[in-house]
């Protein structure tokens, strides 16, 4: 009977769909399109900050790969224009960074903040309030897209705070406005976040002043 069973098994394998492991499933495809078209894809909705608490809603920096460097340190290491020295459990000293928000070079890590390009409060207002806390922690520590987290001067980050482009648009480095608008739009599309009417108007008018600017959207699973 064993040969007959082997034949039957072979037939079944030939006709049944092959199971695909979750890790083998194709990731959503990236898409590159003009900034104006990308802005047009953003859903519009009123913002709501009800229930927001930064620490409770998004948590703090984590060390996802357990190498001793938390998210802040990983961004500093990635974005340094002159590498810092690393000692102990990811203590950084020296190094140099370029803060494109205000066109400034910063020596040493202490003068830098790590900015969420689309701030945590803005993300909450725009749809993240409906996510699981784990997804919000992932958002707060997302390293798979360099546009998401930026090492910038502490003054520029604190000037920006949780504002969207309708009220803050790299005022100290106007040459980077198209860059900023494109990155903002990409992050919002990637995470399925909405824009409010004033934000949408700013993005729309800004896109018209940025001909040739494209946005690559890498969907987040």
């Amino acid at each position: 009977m064993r040969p007959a069973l082997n034949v039957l098994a072979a037939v079944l394998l030939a006709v049944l769909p092959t199971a695909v492991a979750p890790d083998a499933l194709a990731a959503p495809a990236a898409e590159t399109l003009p900034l104006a078209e990308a802005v047009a894809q953003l859903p519009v909705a009123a913002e709501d900050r009800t229930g927001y608490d930064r620490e409770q809603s998004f948590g703090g920096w984590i060390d996802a790969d357990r190498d001793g460097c938390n998210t802040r340190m990983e961004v500093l290491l990635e974005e340094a224009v002159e590498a810092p020295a690393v000692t102990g459990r990811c203590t950084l000293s020296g190094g140099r960074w370029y803060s494109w928000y205000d066109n400034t070079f910063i020596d040493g890590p202490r003068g830098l903040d790590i900015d969420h390009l689309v701030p945590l409060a803005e993300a909450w207002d725009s749809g993240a309030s409906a996510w699981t806390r784990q997804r919000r922690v992932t958002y707060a520590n997302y390293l798979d897209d360099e546009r998401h987290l930026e090492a910038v001067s502490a003054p520029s980050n604190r000037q920006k705070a949780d504002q969207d482009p309708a009220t803050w648009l790299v005022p100290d480095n106007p040459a980077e406005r198209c860059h900023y608008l494109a990155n903002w739009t990409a992050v919002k599309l990637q995470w399925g976040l909405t824009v409010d009417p004033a934000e949408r108007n700013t993005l729309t008018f800004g896109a018209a002043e940025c001909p040739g600017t494209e946005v690559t959207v890498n969907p987040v699973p």
Side-chain angles (χ1 to χ4, degrees):
M1 295 293 292
R2 190 176 302 275
L5 290 174
N6 287 342
V7 171
L8 178 60
V11 171
L12 289 173
L13 287 173
V15 299
L16 291 176
T18 302
V20 179
D23 290 345
L25 294 174
E31 179 184 14
T32 299
L33 62 165
L35 176 57
E37 292 183 21
V39 169
Q41 292 185 9
L42 290 164
V44 180
E47 294 185 352
D48 184 0
R49 196 161 296 188
T50 303
Y52 173 71
D53 178 283
R54 182 186 175 103
E55 183 63 30
Q56 292 299 318
S57 301
F58 290 88
W61 300 129
I62 63 173
D63 179 5
D65 59 7
R66 300 182 182 180
D67 67 349
C69 296
N70 66 18
T71 302
R72 171 183 165 80
M73 299 306 184
E74 297 282 9
V75 176
L76 290 174
L77 290 169
E78 178 65 26
E79 297 189 5
V81 295
E82 294 179 12
V86 184
T87 57
R89 291 291 288 174
C90 209
T91 299
L92 308 187
S93 59
R96 200 173 208 221
W97 288 263
Y98 175 66
S99 170
W100 64 273
Y101 284 7
D102 49 0
N103 192 28
T104 302
F105 283 95
I106 307 294
D107 292 316
R110 292 187 178 181
L112 293 153
D113 283 350
I114 304 304
D115 181 51
H116 295 88
L117 187 95
V118 175
L120 301 183
E122 171 71 21
W124 176 273
D125 298 349
S126 307
S129 59
W131 298 349
T132 64
R133 188 173 188 277
Q134 181 55 54
R135 186 166 179 81
R136 291 195 293 268
V137 170
T138 298
Y139 178 89
N141 290 272
Y142 196 64
L143 293 170
D144 289 346
D145 188 321
E146 63 184 9
R147 300 170 295 186
H148 191 72
L149 293 167
E150 298 284 356
V152 295
S153 71
S156 68
N157 182 49
R158 295 166 198 184
Q159 178 195 64
K160 177 194 171 195
D162 59 7
Q163 298 178 82
D164 70 27
T167 54
W168 193 90
L169 189 54
V170 281
D172 294 327
N173 195 7
E176 293 290 353
R177 285 179 179 167
C178 294
H179 176 196
Y180 187 77
L181 290 171
N183 288 6
W184 182 279
T185 301
V187 172
K188 283 230 162 174
L189 282 174
Q190 287 170 184
W191 290 86
L193 297 171
T194 62
V195 293
D196 64 35
E199 180 186 353
R200 173 65 176 271
N201 287 341
T202 298
L203 293 171
T204 300
F205 288 123
E209 296 177 352
C210 298
T213 299
E214 294 187 328
V215 178
T216 297
V217 180
N218 302 306
V220 178

